[in-house]
Amino acid sequence: MATNAIDQTRRMLSLVTYLRERPGARVSDVARAFGITEEELISDLDVLPMCGTSFRGGDLLDIDTDGDRIWWHNPDDVAEPLRLAADEATALLVAARAVATLPGLREGDRQALLRATAKLEAAAGEAAGASSRLSVTFESEGGVFADVDRAISERRRLWLRYYSPARDELTEREVDPIRLFAVGHTYMEAWCRLSEARRTFRLDRVAEIELLDAPADPPPVELRDLSEGLVQPSEEDPEVVVETGPAGRWVAEYYPHDSAEELPDGGLRITLRTPDPASLRRLALRLGQDGHITSPRDLAESARQVACDALAAYGE
């Protein structure tokens, strides 16, 4: 079952209390108690050590596991009542008010957030007054995130107008959302009814979104392991060769590749694989005089033609 961000946050907050009262708890027992898989529990435990009682990075939770049991080494260090500095209280209040205005937020969650905000305002004193003079406006991605999160929670289908940079076009499609995740940008993994396949959508490329009444019913799919990044080329993907000058060596750092051969001028001959070679035309344009595609020949010619058309447009 897909879990939305709010439900995962609730679970992790409960997990802290649960572990504090059960030192050395077994991984299998904790997973069973929370109704999740052991893999999901381990994923939560990877996040918890980055949490604590200070925005400045101190007093973090020292929680780890040997794969069988879970140990919390410093429960007493973080048990003191939370005392916020003025800047921390201001940041929390501004963020809470901004989140409360997000479209698509479930009403129960909105009311709970507003009640917590009111308590924080009472405790913050003068800092609360300062925070009221600040505001945050979310970009459109924030609204898209809220709609996707709600669709996952309520198991509803979504309608999208989505921009595809590889084809430079907007398409309309209905999708059954599976999960939200972040790898540099925020993405939605979903079953696309237009292509009848699993697809990944970057939220800042969603031009329009609408929550539909139709139930989402994606076929069972195995979630991809994203620990190695979003783009994980397959050996069956077409091979592309890019040659760069010294100023284009960054390509080898940002693109997964099979090999990077040194060239006499200080550049690189980079061999990589991609399921959509046409998407690399944008890379060729970005490189400009610092590199070019050499293989396959039709892709190299296509990239050259796109560059010529762009130059001609400037001339006009």
Side-chain angles (χ1 to χ4, degrees):
M1 178 188 301
T3 303
N4 65 45
I6 293 176
D7 290 336
Q8 184 180 20
T9 301
R10 286 199 190 101
R11 182 178 73 227
M12 292 178 68
L13 289 172
S14 300
L15 188 58
V16 169
T17 302
Y18 186 94
L19 294 177
R20 177 176 172 78
E21 297 172 353
R22 296 169 177 80
R26 291 189 178 278
V27 170
S28 56
D29 293 340
V30 178
R32 190 180 308 111
F34 281 81
I36 57 177
T37 66
E38 293 185 18
E39 290 76 15
E40 288 174 316
L41 175 59
I42 297 300
S43 178
D44 287 350
L45 295 177
D46 289 339
V47 175
L48 281 177
M50 293 182 277
C51 305
T53 59
S54 173
F55 292 166
R56 299 180 177 85
D59 304 323
L60 297 180
L61 306 180
D62 186 5
I63 296 176
D64 66 23
T65 176
D66 60 5
D68 179 42
R69 293 181 178 273
I70 304 168
W71 304 99
W72 185 353
H73 302 293
N74 65 338
D76 295 333
D77 293 346
V78 295
E80 294 296 324
L82 179 62
R83 292 180 174 85
L84 295 175
D87 60 335
E88 293 174 328
T90 298
L92 268 177
L93 285 168
V94 171
R97 293 191 188 107
V99 171
T101 65
L102 280 175
L105 187 65
R106 283 171 289 183
E107 189 58 29
D109 294 322
R110 192 189 313 278
Q111 293 303 319
L113 180 58
L114 291 175
R115 288 193 297 271
T117 303
K119 293 178 181 178
L120 182 57
E121 286 175 338
E126 293 182 3
S131 69
S132 66
R133 295 190 290 272
L134 300 173
S135 64
V136 173
T137 301
F138 286 100
E139 297 179 357
S140 58
E141 182 177 327
V144 173
F145 182 97
D147 284 338
V148 174
D149 186 65
R150 181 180 174 188
I152 292 173
S153 174
E154 299 179 5
R155 299 183 184 181
R156 292 167 63 181
R157 187 168 297 176
L158 289 165
W159 171 86
L160 307 176
R161 288 186 71 235
Y162 186 75
Y163 173 68
S164 174
R167 296 187 296 272
D168 191 26
E169 66 178 9
L170 281 167
T171 58
E172 296 185 13
R173 60 187 77 203
E174 293 185 5
V175 303
D176 293 342
I178 298 172
R179 63 169 170 169
L180 282 161
F181 63 89
V183 181
H185 296 276
T186 307
Y187 297 86
M188 168 182 62
E189 191 168 15
W191 185 262
C192 177
R193 295 294 169 178
L194 179 65
S195 57
E196 287 300 321
R198 177 167 55 180
R199 292 289 184 265
T200 300
F201 302 94
R202 217 171 91 175
L203 296 197
D204 61 351
R205 292 177 179 164
V206 176
E208 291 183 56
I209 186 169
E210 182 180 340
L211 198 60
L212 302 178
D213 291 331
D217 186 26
V221 295
E222 182 177 353
L223 297 181
R224 292 190 299 153
D225 179 9
L226 299 172
S227 60
E228 299 299 323
L230 179 62
V231 180
Q232 301 174 28
S234 163
E235 291 184 359
E236 288 74 34
D237 291 339
E239 185 179 272
V240 178
V241 178
V242 180
E243 291 189 0
T244 77
R249 295 176 65 94
W250 58 266
V251 174
E253 299 177 10
Y254 284 89
Y255 286 80
H257 55 277
D258 294 341
S259 64
E261 177 187 349
E262 293 284 347
L263 296 176
D265 64 352
L268 293 173
R269 179 180 292 112
I270 302 167
T271 302
L272 52 84
R273 296 180 183 277
T274 174
D276 184 14
S279 64
L280 293 181
R281 287 183 302 207
R282 293 172 62 87
L283 170 62
L285 289 175
R286 184 178 177 186
L287 280 168
Q289 63 182 4
D290 295 325
H292 59 280
I293 296 171
T294 63
S295 175
R297 185 176 297 275
D298 58 342
L299 178 59
E301 177 58 30
S302 172
R304 188 193 69 80
Q305 186 59 52
V306 169
C308 290
D309 292 343
L311 288 173
Y314 277 105
E316 294 173 359

